[in-house]
Amino acid sequence: MSRAATPADHRGADGAGRVDGAPPRWWPWTLVALGYVALTVVYFLPLLRQLGTALPSDLGDPALNSWILWWNTQAMPFTERWWSPPMFYPVKDALALSETLIGLTPFTTPLQWLGAGPVLTHNVTLLLSYPATALAAHALAHRLTGRHDAALLAGLSFGFSPWRAAQLPHLQMMIAFWLPLGLLGLHRFLDDGRVRWAMLAAACWLGASLATGYYLVFFAVLIGLWMFWFARTRRQWAVPMAAFLAAALLMAPLLIAYQHRQSAMGLARGLTEIEAFSADLTAIWSATPRGDLLPSFWTPDPGPEGELYPGLVILVLGIAGAIAGWRGAPRDRFSRARLVLLVVAAGAVAVAAVSWAMGGFAFAGLSVNRPQRAVTLAFWLALVALISHPRIVEAVRRRSVALFYGAATVAMFVLALGPVARVMGEPFLSQAPYAWLMMLPGGDALRVPARFGILFMLCLGQVAAIVFARLTPRGAARPLVAGLALLIALDGYMPALAILPVLPPLDRQGLPPDALVLELPLDHHFADPKALLRQTVHRHPLINGYSGYQPPHYQLLAGALRDRIDPDVIEAFRRMGPIQVLVSRNEGVFEFYRDLMAAQSDALHIGHTPAGEIYRWPALPPIPRDATAERLPVAGLDASGRGANAPLMADDDLSSRWESAGPQTIGDEVRVHLAAPVAVTRLELDLGQWHGDYPRRLRVEVVPEDGGDPVRVWEEATIGETMLALLEDPSTTPLTIDLPAAPRTREVILTVTASDHQMSWTIAELRVWGHR
């Protein structure tokens, strides 16, 4: 097979023209499209009855995505106002905490301009994604096989796969028709060399990337593998690369804006979080409960987003294709080098098994305590032995389409395992290939390696179509095709799909024009995304928020209210304006938050609504600051109590810090020695990045310049001051304590007066202000 080798003629089975009496060329495509639409209706019949008033799966990410689609109609994209929507108020650039879904706006924004609400827009977009994605995969498989029956299996397996049932809350991942269309463009370019096909492929990558950053990186990996496999001439490399470079230049301003804003907020994904959202090796047999028609023992429990079960028919066809392809290739004798590689690999696996069973062992002075390292060695040795086999070498030389999609299926699944591949929770590869992606700039920003699963589904579906076409070279009987199609459709069907009505809106009548809105509880059973949906009606700045990241101040706010700490944490927001508080009727916590608000002497109960109880908190005046104070020199610092041996520095280096020797304990003390007697009016204790290490309660004393006992000038819980510091500058977190008039002093004593059994006390930098 020359060029992009296919099992059938590149033009497809229906040819370039018509035979008298035959249906027109577009007729099969019309039937296929109608069939995919009809199947979508069957899948989502319960949702169709509540299309504008309910969301599928849950009220978390679907509500957030509905809100983002709404916000994209409220501000010009890429402007400063667009980057700073009124959630997580007053955080700037809050949109950089989530996907922008800007790639969907050409469809979703006009839909809302025509009168559709955010929920209806979300649901219509979701429903259209099913037939569109299936039809795109069908078109790619038709290009590879020349047959609609084989392409039907690929279209169903990708457009209606069990993986999509698992990803239902993530609208950005459901818009997947770009992926097969992009590959189709590349194959078409290889057919006739027309530039328009390369431009189509690049446009698809751009569209997918604007929908979600996962496609930006993950689809680029598959495209790169495709180029290395199929592109042989200079032109086959140059034209697509030029098209993709142009698309990347269009994408660059958005990426730079994202990087700048996320870096300013100190956002990054930790390795532990990325590993938690990696697929397990057993994920290939793990299906989402909402899509499983079979008994519960059919698949193991998946990890977070780790449901990579593609369907039984597709798996069987893929395995059958691998066996048939290997058996059909010319036989050859094992070379000695490959035999040695396999023997060493088998030995490494045996060593790993012994190490795992014995909990580690030592032999001839060599310690073997990490069996995954031996498995990693075996994996790479076996891979080298496989790809050096003459059958594989010959298939690569022919640019076999079947082998490419088979190899890509395996590669995408391995990448979905994340940086440390695991089986049943136990690591078996010490550094899986996904770890290489994390070395690239921004590679640690994507926390869900398991989302490589969509490319695994795409490639496996194409393999199934190719195998089916080869197993039935003269065409398949219609009952056989119908039976296989039915089994594939049943695998992705969602009998347990939840349809959740959105909650009643918050009536904005009586809301002061400058009011902020706070809904209680926060961060509890999707309370925050429900608040976002209500904001699309009242449109006031919202203290609540919901996203893939949480700004530091929100973690403190949610934790404080969830742990029933004094509501002084709200005072920072009250200094920005009055607050309208909705205590929503939420699962089991309504009474607590209602009583919390009723206990506030200055909170006015406004009334009852279907959404909950409404309270109004008046604004507080700004904190008076001594504008004439100057920064005073510090002669020395020392600590006593549990932190006595820890260094404390008064400098501008926030990479270092003083930290108490253990969790905060009553009596932990820091003494600040001043160069001369002064009147201290303000202290600034920077927390840096250690936001949670604020002193839970702090006493400030001064030692009079003429001697005598220390005089207490201030003692309070500091959670309110910490909240103000986080809102002012989360990179330095300048916890500021304004002091009343106090005697002139050369020594200030800071003492912790409340314990915390988990968090230490940190000072990254200390500044003293006052008058000489």
Side-chain angles (χ1 to χ4, degrees):
M1 300 179 187
S2 60
R3 299 186 299 165
T6 61
D9 180 73
H10 294 176
R11 290 187 299 272
D14 47 2
R18 284 187 58 195
V19 178
D20 289 343
R25 184 177 178 181
W26 50 266
W27 182 243
W29 291 101
T30 303
L31 289 178
V32 166
L34 290 175
Y36 290 141
V37 170
L39 185 57
T40 302
V41 171
V42 172
Y43 266 46
F44 289 99
L45 192 57
L47 180 62
L48 288 171
R49 301 190 185 105
Q50 312 172 61
L51 205 54
T53 59
L55 286 168
S57 180
D58 58 57
L59 292 180
D61 284 340
L64 170 64
N65 287 330
S66 300
W67 180 85
I68 293 173
L69 295 176
W70 166 79
W71 177 246
N72 285 336
T73 69
Q74 303 299 304
M76 181 66 67
F78 311 117
T79 62
E80 287 301 318
R81 179 170 177 264
W82 178 74
W83 278 111
S84 297
M87 75 163 175
F88 289 128
Y89 189 83
V91 168
K92 184 183 178 184
D93 298 326
L95 196 60
L97 299 168
S98 302
E99 303 268 23
T100 67
L101 305 185
I102 194 65
L104 308 185
T105 54
F107 172 74
T108 59
T109 294
L111 192 61
Q112 293 185 78
W113 286 345
L114 292 174
V119 171
L120 178 60
T121 299
H122 172 280
N123 289 338
V124 169
T125 307
L126 174 67
L127 294 181
L128 289 178
S129 76
Y130 270 79
T133 299
L135 194 60
H138 185 110
L140 175 60
H142 186 268
R143 155 63 182 78
L144 299 180
T145 65
R147 288 169 47 177
H148 279 292
D149 56 353
L152 178 65
L153 305 185
L156 289 172
S157 69
F158 187 57
F160 297 86
S161 72
W163 184 89
R164 285 175 65 82
Q167 288 291 322
L168 198 61
H170 308 126
L171 181 64
Q172 61 271 46
M173 300 304 297
M174 305 299 284
I175 309 298
F177 60 87
W178 300 109
L179 311 182
L181 277 184
L183 294 175
L184 176 61
L186 289 173
H187 281 290
R188 288 297 190 189
F189 171 73
L190 215 59
D191 287 343
D192 56 28
R194 295 183 182 181
V195 175
R196 67 183 184 185
W197 296 118
M199 294 176 63
L200 171 64
C204 288
W205 174 72
L206 178 62
S209 301
L210 290 174
T212 170
Y214 285 95
Y215 290 157
L216 167 70
V217 178
F218 292 2
F219 190 29
V221 172
L222 182 58
I223 289 172
L225 294 176
W226 192 99
M227 293 293 297
F228 277 105
W229 189 276
F230 290 110
R232 296 296 172 87
T233 68
R234 183 178 300 175
R235 189 173 187 277
Q236 289 173 349
W237 274 99
V239 174
M241 293 305 294
F244 283 111
L245 178 60
L249 291 175
L250 292 174
M251 172 71 67
L254 179 62
L255 296 181
I256 293 171
Y258 250 120
Q259 193 277 333
H260 171 73
R261 286 164 170 80
Q262 291 195 346
S263 295
M265 288 187 278
L267 304 179
R269 299 297 186 188
L271 181 60
T272 301
E273 184 177 12
I274 293 173
E275 289 184 15
F277 284 93
S278 300
D280 192 273
L281 189 63
T282 60
I284 198 170
W285 203 251
S286 295
T288 175
R290 74 170 64 95
D292 192 6
L293 276 174
L294 299 169
S296 58
F297 58 78
W298 178 252
T299 63
D301 291 333
E305 299 203 32
E307 305 97 333
L308 300 190
Y309 172 63
L312 184 59
V313 172
I314 301 302
L315 270 178
V316 170
L317 284 173
I319 295 171
I323 295 173
W326 188 262
R327 291 171 61 88
R331 293 182 178 275
D332 84 304
R333 298 175 59 188
F334 265 106
S335 70
R336 181 174 300 176
R338 289 203 310 279
L339 186 60
V340 170
L341 288 174
L342 292 175
V343 169
V344 175
V349 171
V351 169
V354 172
S355 176
W356 178 80
M358 298 178 60
F361 67 94
F363 177 74
L366 179 65
S367 177
V368 182
N369 296 316
R370 297 184 179 178
Q372 62 267 31
R373 291 187 174 181
V375 176
T376 302
L377 174 63
F379 172 81
W380 290 113
L381 290 176
L383 182 63
V384 171
L386 177 64
I387 63 177
S388 63
H389 195 284
R391 299 182 183 183
I392 302 297
V393 172
E394 173 60 20
V396 172
R397 187 192 65 79
R398 291 187 291 107
R399 293 184 292 180
S400 165
V401 171
L403 181 58
F404 168 74
Y405 281 100
T409 297
V410 176
M412 297 302 104
F413 184 80
V414 171
L415 285 166
L417 300 179
V420 179
R422 298 175 184 271
V423 56
M424 293 185 289
E426 295 294 329
F428 70 93
L429 288 182
S430 58
Q431 190 175 40
Y434 189 87
W436 305 342
L437 284 181
M438 294 181 62
M439 298 177 186
L440 299 175
D444 60 348
L446 302 175
R447 68 168 177 168
V448 191
R451 290 184 180 176
F452 259 110
I454 191 169
L455 296 170
F456 163 69
M457 302 292 170
L458 172 60
C459 295
L460 183 58
Q462 299 303 310
V463 169
I466 294 170
V467 170
F468 183 77
R470 288 185 174 179
L471 293 176
T472 58
R474 297 186 179 182
R478 290 183 180 178
L480 174 62
V481 176
L484 292 177
L486 178 61
L487 290 175
I488 295 172
L490 287 176
D491 254 327
Y493 182 59
M494 297 169 285
L497 175 63
I499 305 296
L500 302 174
V502 297
L503 298 181
L506 174 63
D507 188 354
R508 57 181 159 185
Q509 288 187 358
L511 269 175
D514 59 343
L516 309 178
V517 173
L518 169 66
E519 293 202 13
L520 298 176
L522 293 91
D523 197 25
H524 177 86
H525 287 206
F526 300 131
D528 291 333
K530 296 172 188 174
L532 288 174
L533 280 182
R534 278 192 278 261
Q535 189 199 40
T536 64
V537 177
H538 66 70
R539 305 195 176 198
H540 280 252
L542 186 67
I543 295 174
N544 302 72
Y546 185 78
S547 72
Y549 290 102
Q550 278 191 347
H553 87 272
Y554 201 70
Q555 299 173 24
L556 177 66
L557 177 64
L561 294 177
R562 184 174 55 243
D563 296 339
R564 309 189 179 195
I565 293 177
D566 193 311
D568 288 347
V569 71
I570 304 294
E571 285 193 2
F573 299 96
R574 294 178 62 193
R575 299 188 188 279
M576 302 173 190
I579 300 178
Q580 195 95 332
V581 180
L582 168 66
V583 179
S584 76
R585 304 186 186 281
N586 205 288
E587 300 85 349
V589 294
F590 170 73
E591 290 80 7
F592 164 70
Y593 286 101
R594 181 196 59 196
D595 295 344
L596 178 69
M597 290 304 305
Q600 309 309 307
S601 59
D602 54 350
L604 177 64
H605 181 251
I606 300 299
H608 310 270
T609 73
E613 300 295 310
I614 304 293
Y615 297 83
R616 185 177 300 164
W617 248 337
L620 292 175
I623 297 176
R625 286 269 156 85
D626 183 0
T628 63
E630 60 177 315
R631 184 173 176 180
L632 303 172
V634 176
L637 303 164
D638 61 72
S640 63
R642 293 173 61 93
N645 297 321
L648 178 58
M649 303 173 63
D651 57 25
D652 295 323
D653 181 10
L654 289 177
S655 64
S656 62
R657 59 168 171 162
W658 170 82
E659 180 184 18
S660 59
Q664 294 180 39
T665 301
I666 295 174
D668 284 352
E669 184 178 279
V670 169
R671 290 177 178 257
V672 184
H673 305 286
L674 304 172
V678 294
V680 178
T681 61
R682 186 166 76 247
L683 300 174
E684 293 177 358
L685 314 176
D686 285 358
L687 299 174
Q689 62 182 297
W690 299 279
H691 310 128
D693 287 359
Y694 64 93
R696 292 329 190 234
R697 186 175 181 86
L698 192 65
R699 181 173 65 233
V700 180
E701 300 170 296
V702 299
V703 178
E705 64 174 314
D706 55 358
D709 295 332
V711 176
R712 183 173 65 181
V713 295
W714 189 90
E715 182 174 356
E716 291 182 19
T718 63
I719 190 168
E721 286 74 14
T722 304
M723 177 60 68
L724 279 170
L726 283 167
L727 293 175
E728 178 183 342
D729 185 356
S731 63
T732 60
T733 321
L735 195 162
T736 303
I737 300 173
D738 290 278
L739 303 175
R744 294 175 65 84
T745 182
R746 297 187 61 163
E747 183 177 9
V748 180
I749 305 172
L750 310 177
T751 307
V752 168
T753 58
S755 298
D756 187 294
H757 299 302
Q758 293 183 332
M759 306 301 293
S760 58
W761 176 21
T762 283
I763 303 176
E765 182 187 351
L766 185 147
R767 294 180 294 276
V768 180
W769 297 78
H771 302 281
R772 297 178 190 273

